[in-house]
Each structure stands twice: as C-alpha cells, then as structure tokens.
Amino acid sequence: MEKIKSNEQFSGIYRSSDDIENFCLRITLKKIYSIIRVPKFESTQTSFEDQQSTTDFEEVLSVNWQQKVFSKTEKAFYSQKENCTTDLAKRYHQIIKDSRGNDSNNLLFTYIDQDNYEPADKFGSQNITRPKIKRNPSRSFLQANEKNRSLFLDHNQANDSKEFETEKDFVKMFVMADLDPSTLLVSIKYRKSDGLLIIFPDFNDLSNGYYLEIDQNSKQMFVYFIENLSLSSNNVTNQRVLKVEMNKLHKETNELIQKLSVSRNENFELPKFGRVVIMLEIIKGLNFEFDNIHVRFKFEIPKWLKVIEGSLSASTHSSFRKGECWNFGYCHSLVLDFDDEFVLSKSEVEILNLTFELISIDPLLGRERREGITSIKIPLTTPLNENYYTLTCFRDIQGNSKLTDFFERFFLGGIHKILDKTLMSSPIDKVVNYYGNQTISTGELCIKIQKIEQLRSSKRSKSHFETIDKIINSYHEAKAQLEK
Amino acid sequence: MAEVFIIGQILKAVNFCEPNLFVCWNIQAGSLWKVVEGESKGQTATDRNRIDLVSVFAHPIDLHLATRGLQGWPKFNVEVYSVNALKQYHPVGFGFAYIPSTPGYHNLSITTWKISPVTVLDSIKEKFFTGGFTIVKKDLIYSGVERYKILTISSGIVEVNLNLIFKNFRKYDIIFNRT
C-alpha cells in the first residue's frame, strides 16, 4: 500500500521581468475515489494508465492571463440579453453568442479582474501572510534575480508585510471548479509596478497533486495539478525575432518570385533570320618601334549582311608603353543579321575580314607613323576553334630601302601611302603586290574574338544534316578519284 | 528568358607600380539584361602586400543575370585605385573585358591603362601631389569617337576567375563558339 503525500499548500511568489501576457498555466482536475492507491495483483509497477483507470473523470484547462472561461451558471445568465446591462455583461453576452455551438459542460472556469470576485473561503487574499519563497531557475516564466533576494527575505521574515496588503495594486485572476458549491482552485495576483506575481497554491507536478474534498450528500474526492506553461523571456524574444525574420524572408521570397514570374513572361528576342554577335577584345600590342600607339580596325562584311548594332570601324585609345607592352583592354561588339537560309545554301563558307592598323603618334610634333598592319578572317557560321589570337604585324618599307625608310620615318613620319586592301585581301587580277612593295615584320597584336550565333531552329538542324551530306559526298568523290 | 550565372573571384592585380591597391568592379550589360540576384558592382579591400608586385584580393563575385536578347553582352569593368599615406586614392588602372560566351571555368586577364599626363608639369604633379588623373566622364572608358585622342599609359593586369553557367540559351537556338 502506498501512502499519499501530505497535502500542504503554499503560496508561490515570483518576480517577472517580461510581459505578463506570456503567462500561461494548465490545471488538471481529476476525480478520485480513494486517497490510497491499491496496487493491482501481480503488478509491481503503477503506470500512469493504471492511475488513470482509478479515475472516471478528468478535465484539463489551459488559461492565459485574464482569459475568461465561463461556468455553466454564467453561460445561462449572460446568454439572456435582458440580464446584460453593463458593458462587461454585454461583452460577455456577445462572446457567448459568438461561441454558441461550442457548448460543453466543463467544470473549470475562471474569474478575471473585471468580475470583481472576492473569495470568502480559506484561499482568500487575507490568508497569504506567510508565503513560501520559491526561487526555481528552471521555471522559465519567472526568475527572481539576486537583486530581489533581499526583498523576498524581508517578506519572509515579516509576518504581515505591507507588500501584500496593498490589494488595490494587484490584478487578480481565479480558477474555479464548478462543483457544488463552486470551489476556488487557484488564485493569482500580479502587480505590474514591480512584476510581482503571487500564486496560491503554488505550481506542482503530476506526481504530487492538491486534494479537494467536497462534503455534500455524498463525499467526493478530487485531485488537481497546476503546471506552468509560460514562455521564458528568451523564448519569447527568439520567437519574436524569428517571426520578424520569417516575415522578412517571406517578403523577399515573394519579391523574388514576382521578379522571376515577370522574367518568365518576357520572351527572348527571336530574330526573323539568323543573327551573329561578334565580340572583339584588343588586349595588347608587343614589340613595336615607336611609342604612343593606337589601333584602328575595320570590319569588311558582305553587302547582304545587315548591321543591327555597333560600328564597322573604330579605334582604341592611344597607349604609352610599359616595358615592351602596350595595353589596350578595349572591347567592341558587332551585331549582324543575315538570311541564314541563303548563307547555308551557299557552298563556300562566308568570311568576315577584320583588318587592324597600328599607328603611333609623336607626342611633340603629332607625326603619325604606321607601326604595323594585320588582319584576321572570321567565318560567319562555322564555330571558331579558339578565342585568343596573337597576330603578327608587318608594315611596308618606305622607298623600298631600309635606310631611307629609317630617315623618313624618323624625321617625317611614316604616312601610309597604300591601301591595306592591296596587301591583305585576295589578289586582284591574280597579281600579288602590284606595286612591288617590300615589307618588314614589326610587333604582335593580341586579340580575343568571341562569336555567338542565333539561327532559326529548322535551319540549324538542316545545316547539320547538309554538312554531313557534304562530307559523305566528298568522301565518295575522293574514293572514286583514288580508284581511278 | 535565358539566364547566366556568374560565380567567381577577383584574384589579384599584378605588375602595378603603385602600392596599396584596391579594385572597384562592375558588370555592365545592355538594356535587354537585368540582374535577378546578387551584386553587379563592388569594391575589394585594400591590399598592402607588395611581394613581387602582386596584390591578392580573392574578392568573391556571385551574380545571376537574365536576358531577353543577345545584344549588350555583359562586360567586366575594373578600376584599380591606389591609396597613399594620407588616405587619398587615385586611379591607376582602367580595364574591361567581355564575360566569356562559353560556360565553364575561365581565367580572365584584364589589361589596364591609366590616363597619361600631357605636360611635364602634369607629370610632376602626378608624381608628388595629386597622384594621378582620372576621367570626368566615366563612359569615356569604354566608348567614344576618336578615342585615339585619349592618351593613356599601360598599367598592370587584373586577374579574374569566373565559373559560368548558362541556362535556356539552347532553347532559343543560340550557338556559342565551341558548341
């Protein structure tokens, strides 16, 4: 046989540093038939289920600070509109009216401060004269700090402390059981000025309940437990921070989704025909003779190509050397539209010719000298093998003699007398170098070329097939020639 | 829309004569392009280390771009500044390069230049007082007619490592260099 522990009841006094709105308690009321627990036969352990089996009634109520829970009598009273004359009564009537349909015959109910309930029994305020001080750091809601310790000790020593007599400063709340007669289970008082909270009886745990004996026609026994469900200030702060962060994240995500949804709606620009973008970077020049060099360049394109963006000729800035290197770091882009059907139907590969001319300018007298010319051919539709090119440059010798060339360049400057075309493009009338000019190698020009094509899908797939067909045909032709 | 993800870092600046360097960078693109996420411009820390004329920055870049067309392909623009003992800074290098048009890893070496003093007096001022000349209109760095009239001096190189991811370009029948 197991004896029940003593049913001592004490007040709990706590000091709250955070908002009282975070206060929450849970009351569990159970009906019992004996205060002595009888273990079952051949059972050595008494589990919670076993304990439950000895009770046929259990009610649990979780309430926040100043949360109104109506009793059966109150519900019946306030549901009649005629009874409600005060503002509070009218508010209660509205609440009961709104919550109609959720009728339940609960035993537990509450009185809040506005109800002006004054207990007349032993739990009344007058009895809280010798409170038991509890300082439990594990209790999350209320933590008495060292600063308040002296205050609590003073209260403990004083039998009739003025601290607890000034009832008007306290906001009250009572949790009742709707038994016959109505019985006060818990009284809670809170003083906002210093965060003092008094609860009677104090919180307990499920292993050590408070017993209640109702002596009417028949004797009824109840046990109830008071649990603290309040959030700690840290938890509350973390939750608030988390809430703010979540809201921020939600807003940002929505903005991003909106932005992305806009982007999805925007269609990519599809040209009517084929389009090619040529991106030229003139990186640097190496090993030239005179200083203050700039590069002039020019695209030569077939007439049926249409320039959409960019210019066909331009020049870089003038650059002074650093060692034997002239940095340009210049970018130029050209967007061209073309009839891809026409281009792909042609047997030969279309080529763009890009010519460069490097010119140095005398900073004092402004004399121009050609430092070198070079060119590169860019296929229009076939991919480039590489991006970076180092182009070797050359220039014509003036007067076809190195000596005269030197003096002329030094004193007069090297004015370019002949067109670039005659030196770099395809031979005219099968005559190479019509004027019989002599040339000399000069420096090097480092460039980077990138090419992006956009063809109509049907044409692109067709072009691949055509290329394969061409290869097979060429193979057959070559084989036939070898056999001959 | 087609999308480009640019992930990488401004690794270092090499061969600059000036000490205490930092780099202001930005990625410029045409009107058809827009930034979906990430920063399209920034500034590195000032590096005081001058071993073998190398200033290491290891400054991260993470950008997501979306485009409605091929025009205005993005360019990586760098401006290198030097800080003197009086905490005054002046430009020592301007340079830019196209973002590569193929996906994958790329190592860009952006050659830079700075504005050259025109007269001897300007040279003396540059050496002892102001530190260097800058451009009043920033767009002159990458545009302008008769650019040859802008006198510049070759400066160092800024090395940038980039990893590129391209999305939806194939859907719009776009062929890159090596595809």
Side-chain angles (χ1 to χ4, degrees):
Chain A
M1 298 238 309
E2 190 181 348
K3 280 190 178 178
I4 295 291
K5 291 171 187 173
S6 64
N7 192 20
E8 280 185 309
Q9 293 186 352
F10 296 99
S11 290
I13 300 179
Y14 299 93
R15 191 75 71 172
S16 165
S17 59
D18 58 330
D19 197 355
I20 189 67
E21 299 300 321
N22 302 321
F23 177 75
C24 182
L25 60 81
R26 179 165 60 195
I27 295 168
T28 310
L29 180 70
K30 286 181 183 180
K31 189 173 185 180
I32 55 170
Y33 296 97
S34 169
I35 58 168
I36 301 164
R37 289 176 193 163
V38 184
K40 283 184 178 177
F41 180 63
E42 290 183 348
S43 173
T44 54
Q45 291 180 340
T46 53
S47 63
F48 184 69
E49 285 78 17
D50 295 334
Q51 288 177 24
Q52 269 198 326
S53 64
T54 59
T55 66
D56 58 355
F57 172 82
E58 179 180 325
E59 189 178 329
V60 181
L61 176 70
S62 297
V63 281
N64 293 318
W65 179 246
Q66 296 297 315
Q67 183 187 341
K68 179 68 184 169
V69 180
F70 294 99
S71 67
K72 277 182 274 185
T73 323
E74 281 179 315
K75 274 183 187 172
F77 181 79
Y78 290 119
S79 59
Q80 299 298 321
K81 199 173 183 180
E82 301 80 41
N83 299 333
C84 305
T85 51
T86 61
D87 288 345
L88 183 70
K90 282 175 186 171
R91 190 154 59 88
Y92 283 169
H93 172 73
Q94 192 59 41
I95 293 167
I96 289 165
K97 199 178 163 185
D98 292 343
S99 64
R100 198 161 283 170
N102 299 329
D103 294 335
S104 54
N105 296 319
N106 294 330
L107 283 183
L108 296 172
F109 66 100
T110 61
Y111 284 128
I112 59 171
D113 196 57
Q114 288 169 317
D115 293 331
N116 291 322
Y117 172 74
E118 285 298 331
D121 57 0
K122 62 171 183 172
F123 299 119
S125 57
Q126 293 82 5
N127 294 334
I128 310 167
T129 52
R130 193 179 173 81
K132 179 189 172 187
I133 303 300
K134 288 214 169 185
R135 293 180 65 252
N136 188 354
S138 64
R139 294 251 164 87
S140 54
F141 172 64
L142 304 160
Q143 291 179 352
N145 53 26
E146 289 299 322
K147 211 174 180 180
N148 297 322
R149 195 176 175 184
S150 58
L151 175 68
F152 280 112
L153 288 172
D154 290 343
H155 289 313
N156 212 15
Q157 286 158 6
N159 284 339
D160 294 311
S161 171
K162 286 178 184 175
E163 190 81 30
F164 308 115
E165 283 176 358
T166 52
E167 291 287 328
K168 62 179 180 182
D169 294 339
F170 284 93
V171 180
K172 298 169 197 169
M173 184 180 176
F174 303 94
V175 182
M176 312 285 291
D178 199 359
L179 301 169
D180 191 19
S182 293
T183 311
L184 177 64
L185 300 181
V186 190
S187 77
I188 310 149
K189 295 176 181 183
Y190 176 68
R191 191 164 63 192
K192 198 178 179 183
S193 59
D194 53 359
L196 186 73
L197 188 129
I198 305 165
I199 181 165
F200 181 84
D202 196 9
F203 300 112
N204 60 358
D205 53 42
L206 291 173
S207 63
N208 188 18
Y210 294 120
Y211 292 94
L212 191 67
E213 196 176 321
I214 305 292
D215 231 349
Q216 289 295 325
N217 299 334
S218 61
K219 208 171 190 177
Q220 288 183 315
M221 291 284 286
F222 292 91
V223 61
Y224 66 100
F225 311 96
I226 308 163
E227 295 167 80
N228 184 6
L229 299 183
S230 305
L231 295 167
S232 72
S233 58
N234 285 342
N235 277 346
V236 171
T237 312
N238 288 343
Q239 279 191 350
R240 279 176 190 159
V241 169
L242 192 66
K243 200 176 173 183
V244 169
E245 289 293 321
M246 286 296 285
N247 284 340
K248 198 177 164 188
L249 188 68
H250 180 69
K251 197 179 168 187
E252 283 175 359
T253 313
N254 274 351
E255 279 174 7
L256 187 64
I257 287 167
Q258 209 170 359
K259 206 185 278 181
L260 287 173
S261 63
V262 168
S263 67
R264 278 193 200 102
N265 292 336
E266 291 175 19
N267 289 326
F268 198 89
E269 196 176 281
L270 292 169
K272 282 183 184 176
F273 303 108
R275 177 167 288 177
V276 62
V277 180
I278 296 163
M279 295 181 288
L280 167 71
E281 283 176 48
I282 299 171
I283 300 167
K284 61 184 175 184
L286 296 165
N287 304 323
F288 290 99
E289 192 179 355
F290 288 91
D291 207 356
N292 194 21
I293 295 173
H294 70 272
V295 183
R296 289 177 187 172
F297 57 93
K298 189 179 179 184
F299 287 92
E300 288 170 25
I301 59 167
K303 284 178 184 174
W304 42 265
L305 275 172
K306 190 181 170 189
V307 180
I308 302 298
E309 196 180 278
S311 58
L312 291 173
S313 61
S315 79
T316 67
H317 47 263
S318 297
S319 178
F320 285 95
R321 75 171 82 197
K322 186 178 185 182
E324 284 303 311
C325 179
W326 287 262
N327 284 353
F328 296 109
Y330 178 77
C331 297
H332 185 86
S333 70
L334 191 64
V335 182
L336 301 165
D337 267 11
F338 60 94
D339 187 352
D340 47 356
E341 199 172 350
F342 170 70
V343 171
L344 294 169
S345 66
K346 291 177 83 174
S347 56
E348 69 270 19
V349 179
E350 276 301 325
I351 285 171
L352 308 176
N353 198 22
L354 175 58
T355 56
F356 299 93
E357 186 176 14
L358 289 94
I359 296 164
S360 67
I361 301 174
D362 192 333
L364 291 173
L365 299 171
R367 289 172 297 191
E368 288 191 1
R369 298 183 183 92
R370 176 185 281 165
E371 292 299 322
I373 49 173
T374 186
S375 73
I376 186 169
K377 297 187 189 315
I378 306 163
L380 188 65
T381 49
T382 52
L384 295 168
N385 290 327
E386 56 185 321
N387 296 129
Y388 289 94
Y389 298 89
T390 304
L391 307 175
T392 48
C393 301
F394 65 93
R395 65 174 175 83
D396 51 313
I397 298 173
Q398 292 173 9
N400 281 346
S401 157
K402 279 191 177 181
L403 191 68
T404 53
D405 176 69
F406 173 78
F407 283 110
E408 197 173 333
R409 271 172 69 81
F410 190 81
F411 292 108
L412 299 173
I415 302 155
H416 32 284
K417 291 174 181 172
I418 51 167
L419 294 171
D420 298 338
K421 259 187 180 179
T422 57
L423 285 171
M424 292 182 293
S425 59
S426 304
I428 305 162
D429 298 333
K430 296 182 182 177
V431 176
V432 182
N433 194 358
Y434 184 80
Y435 297 103
N437 293 85
Q438 291 179 11
T439 60
I440 187 169
S441 297
T442 53
E444 290 173 338
L445 182 67
C446 300
I447 60 163
K448 184 183 179 184
I449 296 174
Q450 297 178 80
K451 192 162 66 77
I452 308 170
E453 291 168 54
Q454 190 176 17
L455 303 182
R456 283 177 289 185
S457 56
S458 55
K459 303 300 170 202
R460 197 181 68 181
S461 55
K462 194 180 168 185
S463 74
H464 282 296
F465 286 119
E466 279 188 356
T467 314
I468 293 163
D469 288 342
K470 276 179 191 173
I471 291 165
I472 291 166
N473 286 338
S474 305
Y475 168 74
H476 285 304
E477 280 174 18
K479 197 178 175 185
Q481 277 185 352
L482 276 171
E483 282 172 357
K484 280 177 187 176
Chain B
M1 290 182 94
E3 291 166 61
V4 177
F5 296 83
I6 303 168
I7 305 149
Q9 61 174 336
I10 298 173
L11 191 63
K12 58 187 174 183
V14 295
N15 292 335
F16 283 88
C17 306
E18 298 82 2
N20 307 333
L21 301 177
F22 70 89
V23 177
C24 286
W25 63 274
N26 63 69
I27 292 174
Q28 294 181 346
S31 57
L32 298 176
W33 294 71
K34 70 174 180 182
V35 176
V36 178
E37 204 176 1
E39 292 295 330
S40 63
K41 58 183 176 183
Q43 184 178 310
T44 68
T46 306
D47 186 77
R48 296 172 70 94
N49 194 12
R50 300 294 296 157
I51 300 168
D52 295 334
L53 296 180
V54 177
S55 300
V56 178
F57 302 111
H59 178 83
I61 298 159
D62 191 351
L63 186 64
H64 177 192
L65 297 169
T67 180
R68 289 191 293 116
L70 287 178
Q71 289 106 308
W73 191 264
K75 284 179 276 196
F76 198 93
N77 179 27
V78 291
E79 292 171 22
V80 186
Y81 290 86
S82 173
V83 184
N84 64 17
L86 300 171
K87 305 290 179 193
Q88 293 169 328
Y89 59 90
H90 54 92
V92 293
F94 298 101
F96 59 108
Y98 281 111
I99 298 291
S101 61
T102 48
Y105 174 77
H106 299 273
N107 185 18
L108 298 184
S109 294
I110 304 172
T111 51
T112 64
W113 45 268
K114 59 183 176 180
I115 299 296
S116 165
V118 181
T119 61
V120 180
L121 190 67
D122 288 342
S123 305
I124 295 165
K125 274 186 181 175
E126 185 193 5
K127 211 119 192 158
F128 297 104
F129 295 102
T130 56
F133 295 91
T134 188
I135 296 173
V136 178
K137 291 179 181 176
K138 288 279 179 185
D139 59 339
L140 279 175
I141 297 167
Y142 33 82
S143 64
V145 190
E146 296 184 332
R147 275 184 68 88
Y148 68 91
K149 288 178 182 174
I150 303 170
L151 299 179
T152 67
I153 306 174
S154 300
S155 197
I157 293 168
V158 177
E159 288 193 11
V160 181
N161 293 343
L162 293 179
N163 287 289
L164 302 175
I165 302 165
F166 289 1
K167 189 181 171 187
N168 286 346
F169 279 93
R170 192 171 283 274
K171 192 174 149 187
Y172 300 110
D173 305 317
I174 292 163
I175 313 163
F176 294 110
N177 272 353
R178 294 176 192 171
T179 52

